[in-house]
């Protein structure tokens, strides 16, 4: 639903409905993990300069206050987290704020399953490796594997020296380009779905 929120935010300020393909083009370039910053950039590229605080306030009003975040659906299939959690420690490094991440994880009953690092917890957001390095520091000597679906995820993993597995859903716009970009950034594998992960482990 964050992509839908980008579309609605840009439309609010510009009157133009950007396509999911256009958003994916930016995501595939890297450097656009922050959806507020991407919304601001898309508006600017359409000729409308909007301040970052204005963009973030409007984005939040849709995503949180209006409740688009509650329309998100869990991707892991039944039992996947139980099976993985029985073998491995689970952690999340997300570009979302702690408020947003907590809402989503609490809704699914998953908050206590993960060591959580959010954008509020790091000095530098993805593609910087700060969050992964924080996780590694809490588990000295542990081998990490990072799973993500953007170029910035892959670059963050590379910068932290953590092996990376990419996810490129069959429904993703510009999927072929995304797969190529993730592989170019050193992904050990690119899966269609997080539920295929068990086959690698």
């Amino acid at each position: 639903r964050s992509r839908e929120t980008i579309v609605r935010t840009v439309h609010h300020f510009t009157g133009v409905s950007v396509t999911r393909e256009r958003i994916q083009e930016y995501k595939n370039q890297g450097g656009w993990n922050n959806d507020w910053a991407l919304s601001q950039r898309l508006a600017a590229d359409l000729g409308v300069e909007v301040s970052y605080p204005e963009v973030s306030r409007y984005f939040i009003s849709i995503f949180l206050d209006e409740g688009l975040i509650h329309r998100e659906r869990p991707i892991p299939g039944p039992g996947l987290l139980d099976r993985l959690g029985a073998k491995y420690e689970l952690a999340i490094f997300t570009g979302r704020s702690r408020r947003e991440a907590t809402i989503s994880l609490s809704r699914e009953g998953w908050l206590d399953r993960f060591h959580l690092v959010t954008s509020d917890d790091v000095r530098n957001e993805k593609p910087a490796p700060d969050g992964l390095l924080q996780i590694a520091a809490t588990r000295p000597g542990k081998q990490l594997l990072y799973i993500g679906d953007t170029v910035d995820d892959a670059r963050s993993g590379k910068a932290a020296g953590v092996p990376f597995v990419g996810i490129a859903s069959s429904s993703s716009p510009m999927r072929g380009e995304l797969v190529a970009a993730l592989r170019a950034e050193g992904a050990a594998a690119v899966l269609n779905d997080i539920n295929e992960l068990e086959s690698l482990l």
Side-chain angles (χ1 to χ4, degrees):
R1 295 301 175 176
S2 62
R3 301 287 174 99
E4 180 180 344
T5 309
I6 293 172
V7 172
R8 290 181 57 178
T9 299
V10 174
H11 185 271
H12 172 76
F13 291 109
T14 70
V16 177
S17 294
V18 295
T19 64
R20 300 299 196 281
E21 289 76 13
R22 182 64 170 153
I23 294 170
Q24 192 64 50
E25 284 180 11
Y26 282 81
K27 292 284 188 179
N28 287 353
Q29 293 170 15
W32 296 109
N33 187 67
N34 183 321
D35 289 341
W36 302 348
L38 177 53
S39 299
Q40 182 188 32
R41 174 60 186 272
L42 285 163
D45 286 352
L46 290 167
V48 180
E49 297 293 337
V50 188
S51 73
Y52 185 78
E54 284 182 280
V55 170
S56 61
R57 278 195 298 270
Y58 190 79
F59 192 104
I60 289 170
S61 75
I62 299 172
F63 194 58
L64 294 182
D65 301 338
E66 190 176 314
L68 256 65
I69 191 171
H70 297 299
R71 299 184 197 172
E72 294 179 323
R73 293 292 175 261
I75 298 173
L80 177 65
L81 294 182
D82 291 329
R83 294 190 297 273
L84 291 178
K87 297 180 180 179
Y88 310 102
E89 293 185 76
L90 305 179
I92 291 176
F93 170 35
T94 176
R96 291 190 175 186
S97 68
R98 181 160 290 272
R99 178 186 177 195
E100 292 171 343
T102 298
I103 288 171
S104 296
L105 293 171
S106 296
R107 182 183 62 237
E108 305 301 333
W110 294 344
L111 187 59
D112 294 334
R113 288 181 179 266
F114 297 94
H115 174 69
L116 178 62
V117 177
T118 73
S119 62
D120 295 327
D121 303 313
V122 296
R123 181 184 299 270
N124 303 297
E125 297 182 32
K126 290 186 280 189
D130 298 33
L132 292 178
L133 295 176
Q134 275 195 34
I135 293 168
T138 66
R139 301 294 188 273
K142 293 282 187 177
Q143 182 178 356
L144 272 61
L145 178 67
Y146 189 40
I147 297 97
D149 62 358
T150 69
V151 168
D152 282 339
D153 290 329
R155 290 178 179 172
S156 183
K158 185 191 296 185
V162 174
F164 174 77
V165 171
I167 305 293
S169 168
S170 57
S171 62
S172 294
M174 302 179 62
R175 183 183 184 278
E177 290 83 350
L178 176 58
V179 170
L182 294 174
R183 287 177 174 159
E185 294 296 337
V190 180
L191 309 178
N192 294 313
D193 189 283
I194 189 65
N195 295 290
E196 297 177 1
L197 182 62
E198 286 178 290
S199 65
L200 287 181
L201 302 176

